[in-house]
Amino acid sequence: MDIGQKVKVIRLRDRVSSNIAQKLGKIGIIEGYKVTDGKGIGVVVKFDDNFSTWFFEDEIKPA
């Protein structure tokens, strides 16, 4: 997955806050990467409402 690519949130691995849970099924744009706690690389996604957060790669798919 590349920076600038549109992606859709398809699942959430862990319990998350309600503002992140509301992004399930939404489309955003990859704006960067995040090194996680040794279990992989996270992808930072920005949504239309300017909210951004990171997801594991298996939580998103190309839109």
Side-chain angles (χ1 to χ4, degrees), residues 31-56:
E31 65 175 15
Y33 302 98
K34 173 181 173 53
V35 177
T36 62
D37 59 359
K39 297 182 181 177
I41 301 292
V43 180
V44 179
V45 178
K46 186 174 185 176
F47 297 92
D48 288 340
D49 61 1
N50 286 326
F51 178 81
S52 64
T53 189
W54 69 275
F55 298 93
F56 289 106

PDB file of all heavy atoms in Angstrom, residues 31-56:
ATOM      1  N   GLU A  31      -1.666   8.381   4.559  1.00  0.00           N
ATOM      2  CA  GLU A  31      -0.779   9.543   4.620  1.00  0.00           C
ATOM      3  C   GLU A  31       0.571   9.221   5.243  1.00  0.00           C
ATOM      4  O   GLU A  31       1.429  10.087   5.315  1.00  0.00           O
ATOM      5  CB  GLU A  31      -1.442  10.724   5.330  1.00  0.00           C
ATOM      6  CG  GLU A  31      -1.750  10.534   6.765  1.00  0.00           C
ATOM      7  CD  GLU A  31      -2.292  11.813   7.415  1.00  0.00           C
ATOM      8  OE1 GLU A  31      -2.692  12.741   6.709  1.00  0.00           O
ATOM      9  OE2 GLU A  31      -2.298  11.847   8.645  1.00  0.00           O
ATOM     10  N   GLY A  32       0.783   7.984   5.661  1.00  0.00           N
ATOM     11  CA  GLY A  32       2.074   7.621   6.216  1.00  0.00           C
ATOM     12  C   GLY A  32       2.051   6.243   6.844  1.00  0.00           C
ATOM     13  O   GLY A  32       1.072   5.506   6.736  1.00  0.00           O
ATOM     14  N   TYR A  33       3.158   5.901   7.498  1.00  0.00           N
ATOM     15  CA  TYR A  33       3.322   4.604   8.135  1.00  0.00           C
ATOM     16  C   TYR A  33       3.699   4.795   9.594  1.00  0.00           C
ATOM     17  O   TYR A  33       4.203   5.842   9.987  1.00  0.00           O
ATOM     18  CB  TYR A  33       4.405   3.792   7.416  1.00  0.00           C
ATOM     19  CG  TYR A  33       4.106   3.592   5.956  1.00  0.00           C
ATOM     20  CD1 TYR A  33       4.688   4.398   4.991  1.00  0.00           C
ATOM     21  CD2 TYR A  33       3.217   2.613   5.536  1.00  0.00           C
ATOM     22  CE1 TYR A  33       4.406   4.234   3.652  1.00  0.00           C
ATOM     23  CE2 TYR A  33       2.921   2.432   4.200  1.00  0.00           C
ATOM     24  CZ  TYR A  33       3.519   3.249   3.259  1.00  0.00           C
ATOM     25  OH  TYR A  33       3.219   3.086   1.931  1.00  0.00           O
ATOM     26  N   LYS A  34       3.456   3.764  10.399  1.00  0.00           N
ATOM     27  CA  LYS A  34       3.774   3.819  11.833  1.00  0.00           C
ATOM     28  C   LYS A  34       4.396   2.486  12.222  1.00  0.00           C
ATOM     29  O   LYS A  34       3.847   1.435  11.917  1.00  0.00           O
ATOM     30  CB  LYS A  34       2.497   4.051  12.626  1.00  0.00           C
ATOM     31  CG  LYS A  34       2.680   3.968  14.135  1.00  0.00           C
ATOM     32  CD  LYS A  34       1.369   4.190  14.840  1.00  0.00           C
ATOM     33  CE  LYS A  34       1.420   3.955  16.313  1.00  0.00           C
ATOM     34  NZ  LYS A  34       2.442   4.663  17.039  1.00  0.00           N
ATOM     35  N   VAL A  35       5.523   2.542  12.901  1.00  0.00           N
ATOM     36  CA  VAL A  35       6.140   1.333  13.421  1.00  0.00           C
ATOM     37  C   VAL A  35       5.395   0.960  14.695  1.00  0.00           C
ATOM     38  O   VAL A  35       5.253   1.778  15.601  1.00  0.00           O
ATOM     39  CB  VAL A  35       7.633   1.549  13.710  1.00  0.00           C
ATOM     40  CG1 VAL A  35       8.244   0.295  14.313  1.00  0.00           C
ATOM     41  CG2 VAL A  35       8.366   1.956  12.450  1.00  0.00           C
ATOM     42  N   THR A  36       4.872  -0.263  14.734  1.00  0.00           N
ATOM     43  CA  THR A  36       4.117  -0.701  15.905  1.00  0.00           C
ATOM     44  C   THR A  36       5.055  -1.364  16.898  1.00  0.00           C
ATOM     45  O   THR A  36       6.262  -1.293  16.757  1.00  0.00           O
ATOM     46  CB  THR A  36       2.976  -1.655  15.490  1.00  0.00           C
ATOM     47  OG1 THR A  36       3.540  -2.814  14.883  1.00  0.00           O
ATOM     48  CG2 THR A  36       2.030  -0.973  14.514  1.00  0.00           C
ATOM     49  N   ASP A  37       4.513  -2.046  17.875  1.00  0.00           N
ATOM     50  CA  ASP A  37       5.296  -2.634  18.963  1.00  0.00           C
ATOM     51  C   ASP A  37       5.998  -3.930  18.572  1.00  0.00           C
ATOM     52  O   ASP A  37       6.085  -4.853  19.366  1.00  0.00           O
ATOM     53  CB  ASP A  37       4.402  -2.865  20.173  1.00  0.00           C
ATOM     54  CG  ASP A  37       3.241  -3.791  19.875  1.00  0.00           C
ATOM     55  OD1 ASP A  37       3.107  -4.236  18.722  1.00  0.00           O
ATOM     56  OD2 ASP A  37       2.465  -4.072  20.795  1.00  0.00           O
ATOM     57  N   GLY A  38       6.500  -4.017  17.356  1.00  0.00           N
ATOM     58  CA  GLY A  38       7.222  -5.199  16.922  1.00  0.00           C
ATOM     59  C   GLY A  38       6.364  -6.219  16.221  1.00  0.00           C
ATOM     60  O   GLY A  38       6.860  -7.257  15.781  1.00  0.00           O
ATOM     61  N   LYS A  39       5.088  -5.967  16.072  1.00  0.00           N
ATOM     62  CA  LYS A  39       4.192  -6.912  15.415  1.00  0.00           C
ATOM     63  C   LYS A  39       3.861  -6.485  13.989  1.00  0.00           C
ATOM     64  O   LYS A  39       2.957  -7.009  13.381  1.00  0.00           O
ATOM     65  CB  LYS A  39       2.901  -7.068  16.217  1.00  0.00           C
ATOM     66  CG  LYS A  39       3.130  -7.653  17.593  1.00  0.00           C
ATOM     67  CD  LYS A  39       1.835  -7.824  18.313  1.00  0.00           C
ATOM     68  CE  LYS A  39       2.089  -8.386  19.706  1.00  0.00           C
ATOM     69  NZ  LYS A  39       0.878  -8.503  20.487  1.00  0.00           N
ATOM     70  N   GLY A  40       4.566  -5.503  13.470  1.00  0.00           N
ATOM     71  CA  GLY A  40       4.319  -5.086  12.100  1.00  0.00           C
ATOM     72  C   GLY A  40       4.361  -3.587  11.911  1.00  0.00           C
ATOM     73  O   GLY A  40       4.764  -2.839  12.775  1.00  0.00           O
ATOM     74  N   ILE A  41       3.925  -3.196  10.735  1.00  0.00           N
ATOM     75  CA  ILE A  41       3.884  -1.793  10.354  1.00  0.00           C
ATOM     76  C   ILE A  41       2.431  -1.354  10.289  1.00  0.00           C
ATOM     77  O   ILE A  41       1.594  -2.029   9.703  1.00  0.00           O
ATOM     78  CB  ILE A  41       4.550  -1.581   8.979  1.00  0.00           C
ATOM     79  CG1 ILE A  41       6.004  -2.050   8.992  1.00  0.00           C
ATOM     80  CG2 ILE A  41       4.448  -0.132   8.527  1.00  0.00           C
ATOM     81  CD1 ILE A  41       6.934  -1.226   9.846  1.00  0.00           C
ATOM     82  N   GLY A  42       2.131  -0.219  10.865  1.00  0.00           N
ATOM     83  CA  GLY A  42       0.797   0.345  10.785  1.00  0.00           C
ATOM     84  C   GLY A  42       0.725   1.354   9.658  1.00  0.00           C
ATOM     85  O   GLY A  42       1.728   1.881   9.205  1.00  0.00           O
ATOM     86  N   VAL A  43      -0.485   1.620   9.199  1.00  0.00           N
ATOM     87  CA  VAL A  43      -0.716   2.563   8.119  1.00  0.00           C
ATOM     88  C   VAL A  43      -1.565   3.705   8.675  1.00  0.00           C
ATOM     89  O   VAL A  43      -2.628   3.468   9.244  1.00  0.00           O
ATOM     90  CB  VAL A  43      -1.458   1.870   6.954  1.00  0.00           C
ATOM     91  CG1 VAL A  43      -1.711   2.841   5.830  1.00  0.00           C
ATOM     92  CG2 VAL A  43      -0.659   0.674   6.447  1.00  0.00           C
ATOM     93  N   VAL A  44      -1.094   4.938   8.530  1.00  0.00           N
ATOM     94  CA  VAL A  44      -1.832   6.105   8.998  1.00  0.00           C
ATOM     95  C   VAL A  44      -2.811   6.518   7.901  1.00  0.00           C
ATOM     96  O   VAL A  44      -2.414   6.756   6.766  1.00  0.00           O
ATOM     97  CB  VAL A  44      -0.886   7.274   9.343  1.00  0.00           C
ATOM     98  CG1 VAL A  44      -1.675   8.493   9.794  1.00  0.00           C
ATOM     99  CG2 VAL A  44       0.115   6.852  10.401  1.00  0.00           C
ATOM    100  N   VAL A  45      -4.098   6.577   8.259  1.00  0.00           N
ATOM    101  CA  VAL A  45      -5.155   6.893   7.300  1.00  0.00           C
ATOM    102  C   VAL A  45      -5.846   8.174   7.737  1.00  0.00           C
ATOM    103  O   VAL A  45      -6.198   8.335   8.904  1.00  0.00           O
ATOM    104  CB  VAL A  45      -6.179   5.739   7.212  1.00  0.00           C
ATOM    105  CG1 VAL A  45      -7.304   6.086   6.248  1.00  0.00           C
ATOM    106  CG2 VAL A  45      -5.495   4.439   6.797  1.00  0.00           C
ATOM    107  N   LYS A  46      -6.043   9.079   6.773  1.00  0.00           N
ATOM    108  CA  LYS A  46      -6.755  10.339   7.030  1.00  0.00           C
ATOM    109  C   LYS A  46      -8.104  10.282   6.315  1.00  0.00           C
ATOM    110  O   LYS A  46      -8.176   9.902   5.149  1.00  0.00           O
ATOM    111  CB  LYS A  46      -5.943  11.527   6.523  1.00  0.00           C
ATOM    112  CG  LYS A  46      -6.543  12.864   6.876  1.00  0.00           C
ATOM    113  CD  LYS A  46      -5.619  13.995   6.474  1.00  0.00           C
ATOM    114  CE  LYS A  46      -6.171  15.322   6.948  1.00  0.00           C
ATOM    115  NZ  LYS A  46      -5.230  16.414   6.630  1.00  0.00           N
ATOM    116  N   PHE A  47      -9.149  10.694   7.018  1.00  0.00           N
ATOM    117  CA  PHE A  47     -10.510  10.645   6.489  1.00  0.00           C
ATOM    118  C   PHE A  47     -10.978  12.044   6.077  1.00  0.00           C
ATOM    119  O   PHE A  47     -10.334  13.039   6.384  1.00  0.00           O
ATOM    120  CB  PHE A  47     -11.444  10.037   7.539  1.00  0.00           C
ATOM    121  CG  PHE A  47     -11.083   8.622   7.874  1.00  0.00           C
ATOM    122  CD1 PHE A  47     -10.216   8.339   8.924  1.00  0.00           C
ATOM    123  CD2 PHE A  47     -11.574   7.568   7.125  1.00  0.00           C
ATOM    124  CE1 PHE A  47      -9.864   7.035   9.226  1.00  0.00           C
ATOM    125  CE2 PHE A  47     -11.223   6.265   7.418  1.00  0.00           C
ATOM    126  CZ  PHE A  47     -10.373   5.991   8.473  1.00  0.00           C
ATOM    127  N   ASP A  48     -12.132  12.103   5.406  1.00  0.00           N
ATOM    128  CA  ASP A  48     -12.680  13.366   4.900  1.00  0.00           C
ATOM    129  C   ASP A  48     -12.890  14.415   5.990  1.00  0.00           C
ATOM    130  O   ASP A  48     -12.817  15.615   5.724  1.00  0.00           O
ATOM    131  CB  ASP A  48     -14.010  13.134   4.178  1.00  0.00           C
ATOM    132  CG  ASP A  48     -13.818  12.433   2.836  1.00  0.00           C
ATOM    133  OD1 ASP A  48     -12.707  12.469   2.295  1.00  0.00           O
ATOM    134  OD2 ASP A  48     -14.804  11.856   2.343  1.00  0.00           O
ATOM    135  N   ASP A  49     -13.150  13.971   7.210  1.00  0.00           N
ATOM    136  CA  ASP A  49     -13.385  14.921   8.305  1.00  0.00           C
ATOM    137  C   ASP A  49     -12.087  15.379   8.976  1.00  0.00           C
ATOM    138  O   ASP A  49     -12.089  15.940  10.057  1.00  0.00           O
ATOM    139  CB  ASP A  49     -14.334  14.320   9.341  1.00  0.00           C
ATOM    140  CG  ASP A  49     -13.787  13.041   9.976  1.00  0.00           C
ATOM    141  OD1 ASP A  49     -12.668  12.604   9.637  1.00  0.00           O
ATOM    142  OD2 ASP A  49     -14.495  12.470  10.829  1.00  0.00           O
ATOM    143  N   ASN A  50     -10.945  15.112   8.316  1.00  0.00           N
ATOM    144  CA  ASN A  50      -9.592  15.459   8.775  1.00  0.00           C
ATOM    145  C   ASN A  50      -9.138  14.669   9.994  1.00  0.00           C
ATOM    146  O   ASN A  50      -8.109  14.965  10.578  1.00  0.00           O
ATOM    147  CB  ASN A  50      -9.447  16.959   9.037  1.00  0.00           C
ATOM    148  CG  ASN A  50      -9.380  17.742   7.748  1.00  0.00           C
ATOM    149  OD1 ASN A  50      -8.840  17.267   6.749  1.00  0.00           O
ATOM    150  ND2 ASN A  50      -9.946  18.923   7.743  1.00  0.00           N
ATOM    151  N   PHE A  51      -9.901  13.659  10.401  1.00  0.00           N
ATOM    152  CA  PHE A  51      -9.485  12.760  11.482  1.00  0.00           C
ATOM    153  C   PHE A  51      -8.499  11.764  10.894  1.00  0.00           C
ATOM    154  O   PHE A  51      -8.714  11.230   9.804  1.00  0.00           O
ATOM    155  CB  PHE A  51     -10.708  12.022  12.036  1.00  0.00           C
ATOM    156  CG  PHE A  51     -10.373  11.040  13.116  1.00  0.00           C
ATOM    157  CD1 PHE A  51     -10.172  11.450  14.418  1.00  0.00           C
ATOM    158  CD2 PHE A  51     -10.256   9.687  12.827  1.00  0.00           C
ATOM    159  CE1 PHE A  51      -9.865  10.544  15.418  1.00  0.00           C
ATOM    160  CE2 PHE A  51      -9.945   8.772  13.819  1.00  0.00           C
ATOM    161  CZ  PHE A  51      -9.749   9.199  15.118  1.00  0.00           C
ATOM    162  N   SER A  52      -7.397  11.514  11.590  1.00  0.00           N
ATOM    163  CA  SER A  52      -6.457  10.494  11.130  1.00  0.00           C
ATOM    164  C   SER A  52      -6.065   9.595  12.289  1.00  0.00           C
ATOM    165  O   SER A  52      -5.990  10.033  13.436  1.00  0.00           O
ATOM    166  CB  SER A  52      -5.222  11.121  10.478  1.00  0.00           C
ATOM    167  OG  SER A  52      -4.493  11.874  11.391  1.00  0.00           O
ATOM    168  N   THR A  53      -5.844   8.338  11.964  1.00  0.00           N
ATOM    169  CA  THR A  53      -5.406   7.340  12.930  1.00  0.00           C
ATOM    170  C   THR A  53      -4.722   6.229  12.157  1.00  0.00           C
ATOM    171  O   THR A  53      -4.707   6.228  10.933  1.00  0.00           O
ATOM    172  CB  THR A  53      -6.589   6.813  13.770  1.00  0.00           C
ATOM    173  OG1 THR A  53      -6.078   6.010  14.839  1.00  0.00           O
ATOM    174  CG2 THR A  53      -7.569   6.007  12.936  1.00  0.00           C
ATOM    175  N   TRP A  54      -4.140   5.286  12.872  1.00  0.00           N
ATOM    176  CA  TRP A  54      -3.439   4.215  12.179  1.00  0.00           C
ATOM    177  C   TRP A  54      -4.175   2.891  12.332  1.00  0.00           C
ATOM    178  O   TRP A  54      -4.917   2.671  13.278  1.00  0.00           O
ATOM    179  CB  TRP A  54      -1.996   4.103  12.647  1.00  0.00           C
ATOM    180  CG  TRP A  54      -1.825   3.614  14.053  1.00  0.00           C
ATOM    181  CD1 TRP A  54      -1.860   4.355  15.187  1.00  0.00           C
ATOM    182  CD2 TRP A  54      -1.617   2.266  14.461  1.00  0.00           C
ATOM    183  NE1 TRP A  54      -1.676   3.553  16.280  1.00  0.00           N
ATOM    184  CE2 TRP A  54      -1.524   2.259  15.868  1.00  0.00           C
ATOM    185  CE3 TRP A  54      -1.484   1.065  13.779  1.00  0.00           C
ATOM    186  CZ2 TRP A  54      -1.313   1.098  16.592  1.00  0.00           C
ATOM    187  CZ3 TRP A  54      -1.277  -0.097  14.505  1.00  0.00           C
ATOM    188  CH2 TRP A  54      -1.190  -0.076  15.897  1.00  0.00           C
ATOM    189  N   PHE A  55      -3.942   2.022  11.341  1.00  0.00           N
ATOM    190  CA  PHE A  55      -4.526   0.686  11.301  1.00  0.00           C
ATOM    191  C   PHE A  55      -3.448  -0.306  10.888  1.00  0.00           C
ATOM    192  O   PHE A  55      -2.496   0.060  10.203  1.00  0.00           O
ATOM    193  CB  PHE A  55      -5.656   0.614  10.258  1.00  0.00           C
ATOM    194  CG  PHE A  55      -6.810   1.540  10.540  1.00  0.00           C
ATOM    195  CD1 PHE A  55      -6.854   2.809   9.989  1.00  0.00           C
ATOM    196  CD2 PHE A  55      -7.850   1.148  11.366  1.00  0.00           C
ATOM    197  CE1 PHE A  55      -7.906   3.667  10.251  1.00  0.00           C
ATOM    198  CE2 PHE A  55      -8.906   2.005  11.641  1.00  0.00           C
ATOM    199  CZ  PHE A  55      -8.934   3.260  11.072  1.00  0.00           C
ATOM    200  N   PHE A  56      -3.619  -1.565  11.294  1.00  0.00           N
ATOM    201  CA  PHE A  56      -2.769  -2.620  10.757  1.00  0.00           C
ATOM    202  C   PHE A  56      -3.179  -2.864   9.310  1.00  0.00           C
ATOM    203  O   PHE A  56      -4.321  -2.603   8.918  1.00  0.00           O
ATOM    204  CB  PHE A  56      -2.936  -3.914  11.562  1.00  0.00           C
ATOM    205  CG  PHE A  56      -2.339  -3.839  12.946  1.00  0.00           C
ATOM    206  CD1 PHE A  56      -3.150  -3.729  14.060  1.00  0.00           C
ATOM    207  CD2 PHE A  56      -0.967  -3.895  13.125  1.00  0.00           C
ATOM    208  CE1 PHE A  56      -2.606  -3.665  15.337  1.00  0.00           C
ATOM    209  CE2 PHE A  56      -0.407  -3.835  14.398  1.00  0.00           C
ATOM    210  CZ  PHE A  56      -1.229  -3.718  15.506  1.00  0.00           C
TER     211      PHE A  56
END
